[in-house]
Amino acid sequence: MVVRLLLFLFAVSCTCLLNVARAADENDYYRLETIVASPAATESRSKTWRPAPDGLAMEVSGIAVLDDKRVAVAIRKGEVWILGGVYDDPPENVTYKRFASALHEPLGLLKLGDSLYTTQRSELTRLRDSDGDDVADEYLTVAKGWGVTGHYHEYAYGPKLDGDGNLWVTLNIGLGLKGKQLQRTVHEPTLNLRQGRWRGWGMKIGSDGELIPICAGMRSPSGLGANAEGDMFYTDQQGNWVATNSLHHMREGVFFHHAEALASMNLPGSPISGIEKIPNGVPFPEAVRLLPQLQPPAVWFPYKKAGQSTTDIMLDESDGKFGPFAGQLFIGEFTQAAMTRVFLEKVGGEYQGTCFPFRYGFASAVLRMAQGTDGSMFVGLTNRGWSSLGTASYGLQRLIWTGQTPFEIKEMRARPDGFELLFTKPVDRETATNVASYALKSYTYLYHSTYGSDEIQNKNLTIPVATVSDDGLRVHLQVDGLRELFVHELTAKGIRSVDGEPLLHAEAYYTLNRIPKK
């Protein structure tokens, strides 16, 4: 009898543990459907690649949703394809139609009116099918004029639309230019910098195709897009001058972090001038004080904790069809084949906010995302032969909300005396008011010309009081020792929902550029 009772209790215990594990499985809430992917992780640069459906290297570099049956995808090696049947579940009868070819590394795709727009290495191009056969017969230059020295790293991204309908593109820095490449640069004598024309800048396109320089200081701005208010943002990737991955609000006359972009500072039309010295080797908050034109990112992505190489930006405009995060931004992650989620707020008239882990386990590096007509997300993959997690080197997947709501921190807002957390489900009051359920620390980075930065000036912070709202959806954390221009890293592993669920992701990283006034 005792043995049977022990076996019964053991079985119940195992079942409970299994249910807890299942509650923490991302796939229960957002499942992945593979539309097409390479059979192996090593096929990206196959010498036998040819542009045909039976051997198509679907290295997706741009996605444009056409309707409730089809998407158009740009591929890195210079083509645009229209894929049908991509909403089928499972997608067993995908069709392929080549729409455009002979492009030079298109790194974006946008449907606008009756045309598709893509940014090639040296121009923004409009692709139009005038006779309705799903093949482009017009390739029209919309804008050009940025520098191309021949360096491999001089990528050009976009276009994306802001809230006023303006087209934007972003331009990579060239790294370690030499030889004839230097002959194709512009030179800024005071700082002694050389780069291709407008390299490291965010550009708006005028109605007549004019390039309008807006902001500078980008290293590798692979992602760009508008938030719900129509303001434009871009993501940057860790490297020289760039401490870790970051999200920035693009606005006129702002300098971000990569100094070599200032080679174009004195060109006609530049909204930036007068920078005579760049601080080097100081903590980032000190650099901001020393250089007034330097503006902090809205969000830092702590390295490895929240990705290693940020890519695309997608606004959830589904009004709940993609789950409980409508109006928030989703950020692609290359190396970890993953995706993060960003909540933004304005404090003192400027954006700042939180990044959260969201979804891991994509087949390859996430480069492009687009929201389908049903609210699901199309995810374009390519690792370009660089290192990324996953079972493939390229492909197209679809991320679908299952209808189940995960227990997550939906928002993390700054308060004069701490932070307020908004959850997707009511919290268990006992665990949520127990300050031992939380751990909080803050840190910043070095601003310097070398590659990346460790977290510096680390400090563990005290949470004396945690207060739960009447509806159980909000927790106010009183915090001692908030620091402006520091990342505040929260871990909430002890908290539970009213149903006993742990958080699907217990980490949140708030970039506290400004503490709200009382």
Side-chain angles (χ1 to χ4, degrees):
M1 187 67 178
V2 173
V3 173
R4 287 183 180 177
L5 179 60
L6 290 173
L7 288 173
F8 172 75
L9 292 173
F10 178 74
V12 170
S13 175
C14 289
T15 301
C16 291
L17 288 173
L18 179 61
N19 287 338
V20 168
R22 288 285 295 163
D25 186 356
E26 293 175 337
N27 198 56
D28 289 341
Y29 309 103
Y30 291 90
R31 65 181 178 87
L32 274 169
E33 193 72 61
T34 298
I35 297 168
V36 59
S38 65
T42 57
E43 293 192 348
S44 176
R45 289 180 169 176
S46 170
K47 293 181 180 179
T48 61
W49 175 87
R50 59 193 180 91
D54 61 350
L56 178 62
M58 189 60 67
E59 297 183 82
V60 178
S61 57
I63 307 174
V65 173
L66 302 181
D67 50 42
D68 59 2
K69 294 183 176 62
R70 304 175 304 155
V71 298
V73 298
I75 62 174
R76 188 178 64 84
K77 292 178 178 175
E79 299 181 336
V80 175
W81 288 74
I82 295 176
L83 277 58
V86 291
Y87 289 89
D88 295 349
D89 196 1
E92 296 178 328
N93 298 297
V94 178
T95 61
Y96 297 83
K97 176 82 171 183
R98 185 165 61 182
F99 179 78
S101 60
L103 302 171
H104 189 175
E105 202 163 39
L107 289 174
L109 197 64
L110 174 72
K111 183 180 184 298
L112 187 59
D114 64 353
S115 302
L116 292 174
Y117 289 70
T118 187
T119 302
Q120 301 187 67
R121 181 158 285 237
S122 61
E123 70 167 48
L124 172 60
T125 307
R126 178 186 177 192
L127 307 170
R128 183 170 175 266
D129 167 25
S130 65
D131 56 11
D133 64 352
D134 285 339
V135 176
D137 43 48
E138 290 183 352
Y139 293 63
L140 305 173
T141 299
V142 177
K144 61 181 181 179
W146 57 81
V148 179
T149 71
H151 192 277
Y152 87 96
H153 200 256
E154 290 175 334
Y155 304 118
Y157 306 101
K160 289 285 185 76
L161 289 171
D162 65 17
D164 296 324
N166 299 302
L167 292 166
W168 291 66
V169 299
T170 53
L171 303 170
N172 253 42
I173 282 286
L175 300 177
L177 303 179
K178 58 185 178 181
K180 291 186 177 180
Q181 295 167 352
L182 292 172
Q183 299 174 16
R184 306 182 185 109
T185 62
V186 293
H187 180 231
E188 202 295 312
T190 301
L191 299 171
N192 193 27
L193 297 171
R194 287 187 178 275
Q195 276 291 328
R197 184 182 179 88
W198 301 123
R199 283 285 152 192
W201 284 69
M203 314 292 287
K204 191 163 64 173
I205 311 303
S207 58
D208 58 353
E210 176 192 5
L211 284 180
I212 305 171
I214 299 296
C215 48
M218 304 170 178
R219 177 183 179 272
S220 190
S222 174
L224 69 159
N227 68 351
E229 286 70 37
D231 294 325
M232 289 299 289
F233 291 79
Y234 86 93
T235 61
D236 218 338
Q237 297 181 354
Q238 186 191 63
N240 55 329
W241 292 110
V242 184
T244 186
N245 304 312
S246 49
L247 176 73
H248 302 260
H249 175 208
M250 294 196 285
R251 63 265 199 218
E252 186 173 0
V254 168
F255 170 66
F256 298 112
H257 37 204
H258 204 289
E260 290 182 43
L262 296 174
S264 295
M265 175 174 60
N266 299 326
L267 293 179
S270 168
I272 299 173
S273 62
I275 297 179
E276 297 180 352
K277 185 178 180 181
I278 303 294
N280 192 350
V282 300
F284 193 84
E286 179 65 15
V288 171
R289 286 187 280 271
L290 292 172
L291 181 57
Q293 294 95 329
L294 176 64
Q295 294 297 309
V299 172
W300 289 109
F301 298 85
Y303 197 66
K304 291 190 176 180
K305 300 173 184 177
Q308 293 177 240
S309 43
T310 49
T311 57
D312 209 8
I313 301 170
M314 192 203 86
L315 169 66
D316 179 7
E317 299 181 274
S318 69
D319 196 25
K321 293 180 182 178
F322 192 60
F325 307 114
Q328 296 192 8
L329 300 178
F330 292 87
I331 310 297
E333 159 55 27
F334 190 99
T335 305
Q336 296 181 1
M339 199 175 291
T340 54
R341 174 173 59 88
V342 165
F343 165 75
L344 292 172
E345 61 175 337
K346 271 190 172 181
V347 177
E350 298 289 349
Y351 285 106
Q352 60 187 42
T354 321
C355 64
F356 307 88
F358 177 65
R359 187 62 163 88
Y360 294 87
F362 292 90
S364 187
V366 175
L367 184 65
R368 293 289 173 253
M369 303 116 73
Q371 193 153 49
T373 57
D374 64 349
S376 64
M377 184 192 299
F378 291 98
V379 184
L381 314 170
T382 175
N383 63 21
R384 196 193 169 275
W386 287 321
S387 177
S388 78
L389 297 178
T391 58
S393 59
Y394 57 81
L396 180 67
Q397 292 185 297
R398 184 166 161 245
L399 189 62
I400 304 164
W401 181 46
T402 65
Q404 301 296 314
T405 298
F407 180 45
E408 295 271 46
I409 303 172
K410 182 178 179 179
E411 300 175 2
M412 181 176 178
R413 292 179 178 270
R415 292 292 180 254
D417 62 345
F419 295 99
E420 183 181 78
L421 310 179
L422 173 65
F423 294 85
T424 56
K425 296 179 180 181
V427 299
D428 165 64
R429 289 182 180 275
E430 182 176 351
T431 57
T433 55
N434 183 355
V435 295
S437 295
Y438 312 91
L440 185 66
K441 63 180 179 179
S442 63
Y443 46 81
T444 187
Y445 301 98
L446 271 177
Y447 181 62
H448 57 182
S449 58
T450 52
Y451 197 103
S453 169
D454 293 332
E455 296 164 4
I456 63 170
Q457 299 182 357
N458 278 268
K459 181 181 179 181
N460 292 322
L461 304 179
T462 302
I463 302 174
V465 179
T467 306
V468 180
S469 63
D470 292 341
D471 62 6
L473 289 173
R474 297 178 186 273
V475 175
H476 182 94
L477 301 178
Q478 183 179 325
V479 178
D480 294 337
L482 296 174
R483 294 191 286 179
E484 289 190 334
L485 294 171
F486 280 69
V487 175
H488 287 65
E489 177 182 319
L490 175 70
T491 304
K493 292 183 179 179
I495 202 166
R496 296 292 181 268
S497 73
V498 291
D499 297 324
E501 299 170 277
L503 286 162
L504 181 60
H505 301 101
E507 301 81 22
Y509 308 93
Y510 191 101
T511 299
L512 187 66
N513 293 327
R514 294 171 180 81
I515 299 172
K517 296 180 180 179
K518 294 182 179 179

